[in-house]
Amino acid sequence: MSRVSAVSFSHFLPSLLLLLAGLSAAYIKDLSVFFTSLFNVLPTLVLLLGGSYCAVYRRQRELFLMITVYIAYFLLDTQTDFYRDHGRVREDAAVVFHLCCLLLPLLFSIYALWQEKTHLFRDFVARGAVLLAIGSVALALEQSFPVAVLNWLAEIRWPVLHGAWMSLIQLSYPMFLIGFLTLAAQYWYQPRPLHAAQLVGLLGLFWMLPQTFILPFTLNIMCSQVMLMIAAGVAHEAYQMAFRDELTGLPGRRALNERMQRLGRNYVLAMSDVDHFKRFNDTHGHDVGDQVLRLVASKLSKVNGGGRAYRYGGEEFAVVFAGKTVEECLPHLEEIRVIIADYAIKLRNLDRPQDDHQGRQRRAGSGASSVSVTISIGVAERQAEQRTPEEVLKSADQALYAAKGAGRNCVVAAGQTRRGAVRESAAG
């Protein structure tokens, strides 16, 4: 799977919805007593529930992300409460606010980029030590040298880059920019729902900080939303692990079982199998075998006619057509069979070249070879005497065996036979 194709809007959707909900709630001027009370306890409630969820599933990176956001919330909330109660800010408000604006994106980015380690206890201690060290330094500076620290933080170091719209200290802007770029690179190389949540969460924090003393409950709402984004990213990945096949990206066996319970009365099920896959795997190696499975999965995922492809297991795939007849589905399955059979997979020689130029020359010449794989497909339509989708799937499986017996590389509906062929070639 290419990195570009792996970028999925579905990774960002939950976090974007939470961000939009937070923005909408923050701009509501008149809040009822219920929502006022809710927003006061929401960050703590989200941390307890979301943090417990991450702790139970040993997701330490996400746990420390939530803790970092909550510490910033607690420090700033103390300042905003004083401001609302007395109509003025505390003497240390500027120092605390500026330190949060500088350290929040720093710590958030560190923990977002810090991958989980195998040894959980050591990983937990290391993360806690970083948080303790940075927090202790910040506390010491805030207590000992408030005026000097404030002047150092508020200094405009790059007048050319400073704009009138900037409402944060200048140092926080490059910190947010570096964090955003590194998190974007992390998502580019490892597209995961959690990495998408981290990106959107950093944007939410960037919007929140300038509004902390301006819009009521902005701090409570956005910190809660960012922590919810992290928890939602963990839940999204847990769902993918349970219902989506990691190698091919298709929905897996469990997702197929759930889908079959909601098919209704009229549907078609197809079972497909890569021809001679074991022999192909033994000949060319497991890496090429995995490449073949990803190729077949990518083609099956684009089947027309309303079909939805699933990885059934091993080299077997299932395709579900809801509300269709077998006559309507056969042309679309035949089209996919032909596309896969005509696709040539390029193979490299075992003696790999030492540089890219030599590799391009070999691939353009006789050093490169190609193979084509084929699939056999069995199709079954739900009949009146079949009470469950499992019975229809069994009929499709029997049709698949008939396709194998008919010569492979063909589509066979239940009760039919048709001969096909397997092709394998080397490009000269």
Side-chain angles (χ1 to χ4, degrees):
M1 181 183 295
S2 66
R3 295 184 184 123
V4 175
S5 63
V7 176
S8 173
F9 181 72
S10 65
H11 289 173
F12 289 91
L13 184 58
S15 298
L16 289 175
L17 291 176
L18 286 169
L19 179 64
L20 292 175
L23 293 175
S24 302
Y27 281 104
I28 298 177
K29 295 182 179 180
D30 298 323
L31 293 172
S32 64
V33 177
F34 170 78
F35 284 105
T36 301
S37 303
L38 175 63
F39 291 150
N40 280 326
V41 301
L42 189 59
T44 303
L45 184 63
V46 172
L47 176 67
L48 290 176
L49 296 178
S52 300
Y53 176 70
C54 293
V56 168
Y57 289 99
R58 300 181 178 182
R59 304 294 291 264
Q60 298 195 103
R61 171 165 59 167
E62 294 78 14
L63 175 61
F64 275 88
L65 280 171
M66 291 186 180
I67 292 174
T68 300
V69 173
Y70 187 82
I71 290 175
Y73 156 75
F74 177 78
L75 295 173
L76 295 176
D77 186 59
T78 303
Q79 302 292 335
T80 56
D81 283 345
F82 185 91
Y83 176 73
R84 281 194 295 264
D85 294 340
H86 299 85
R88 60 182 178 84
V89 297
R90 283 174 37 165
E91 294 181 357
D92 62 344
V95 177
V96 172
F97 180 72
H98 292 338
L99 283 173
C100 287
C101 292
L102 180 65
L103 297 180
L104 178 57
L106 172 64
L107 276 171
F108 190 90
S109 301
I110 288 175
Y111 286 129
L113 294 167
W114 192 336
Q115 301 288 338
E116 294 90 346
K117 304 299 181 182
T118 304
H119 201 295
L120 294 177
F121 180 73
R122 292 178 184 175
D123 191 38
F124 182 86
V125 171
R127 293 174 192 270
V130 170
L131 183 61
L132 181 62
I134 295 179
S136 299
V137 171
L139 180 61
L141 292 173
E142 192 273 335
Q143 293 290 327
S144 303
F145 311 100
V147 177
V149 172
L150 177 61
N151 292 335
W152 185 83
L153 290 171
E155 179 184 352
I156 298 176
R157 290 167 172 76
W158 309 284
V160 177
L161 301 177
H162 192 74
W165 54 271
M166 293 183 174
S167 51
L168 301 177
I169 57 171
Q170 196 178 46
L171 279 176
S172 67
Y173 289 97
M175 197 63 67
F176 270 105
L177 180 61
I178 293 172
F180 182 81
L181 292 177
T182 53
L183 294 186
Q186 179 181 241
Y187 180 81
W188 179 259
Y189 286 99
Q190 294 179 317
R192 293 172 49 184
L194 174 63
H195 295 163
Q198 293 169 351
L199 264 175
V200 180
L202 190 63
L203 287 178
L205 296 176
F206 181 72
W207 173 86
M208 174 196 74
L209 288 172
Q211 312 297 328
T212 299
F213 291 94
I214 300 175
L215 295 176
F217 299 106
T218 297
L219 185 67
N220 307 59
I221 295 171
M222 192 52 65
C223 284
S224 300
Q225 296 301 85
V226 172
M227 289 189 286
L228 282 173
M229 292 175 196
I230 302 302
V234 175
H236 194 168
E237 292 193 349
Y239 172 85
Q240 285 193 331
M241 290 175 63
F243 291 92
R244 190 165 291 274
D245 177 61
E246 184 176 5
L247 175 65
T248 63
L250 290 179
R253 181 78 169 269
R254 183 175 296 181
L256 173 64
N257 292 337
E258 286 203 357
R259 181 70 180 94
M260 289 197 304
Q261 305 309 314
R262 307 189 306 270
L263 283 175
R265 299 179 62 85
N266 301 315
Y267 55 88
V268 172
L269 299 180
M271 287 292 294
S272 64
D273 181 275
V274 180
D275 296 328
H276 300 298
F277 182 74
K278 185 179 184 305
R279 187 177 68 186
F280 186 92
N281 224 13
D282 294 339
T283 302
H284 300 290
H286 292 286
D287 290 341
V288 179
D290 289 347
Q291 183 182 350
V292 167
L293 293 178
R294 285 192 290 266
L295 165 69
V296 173
S298 68
K299 301 303 181 184
L300 286 174
S301 67
K302 299 173 184 177
V303 64
N304 295 318
R308 180 74 185 275
Y310 299 80
R311 187 177 183 191
Y312 191 78
E315 66 271 25
E316 288 187 308
F317 299 87
V319 184
V320 177
F321 295 89
K324 301 291 183 178
T325 64
V326 69
E327 289 79 11
E328 294 173 322
C329 301
L330 284 174
H332 303 298
L333 293 171
E334 177 68 15
E335 178 186 17
I336 289 296
R337 181 198 66 78
V338 172
I339 290 174
I340 293 174
D342 291 344
Y343 191 92
I345 302 175
K346 298 294 183 181
L347 300 178
R348 291 183 178 181
N349 287 333
L350 295 177
D351 54 333
R352 298 186 62 181
Q354 299 297 319
D355 53 59
D356 293 340
H357 178 70
Q358 187 179 3
R360 284 193 294 270
Q361 288 183 329
R362 289 194 182 183
R363 286 193 292 271
S366 59
S369 62
S370 65
V371 296
S372 61
V373 297
T374 60
I375 62 171
S376 300
I377 304 176
V379 193
E381 182 180 355
R382 191 251 179 192
Q383 304 296 329
E385 64 274 10
Q386 294 170 322
R387 296 185 177 182
T388 65
E390 287 75 14
E391 295 179 6
V392 184
L393 194 66
K394 185 177 180 180
S395 297
D397 201 42
Q398 292 171 349
L400 173 61
Y401 278 104
K404 295 285 188 181
R408 297 181 171 84
N409 190 22
C410 60
V411 181
V412 173
Q416 297 178 346
T417 60
R418 175 184 165 191
R419 300 195 61 81
V422 178
R423 297 188 300 275
E424 181 170 316
S425 63

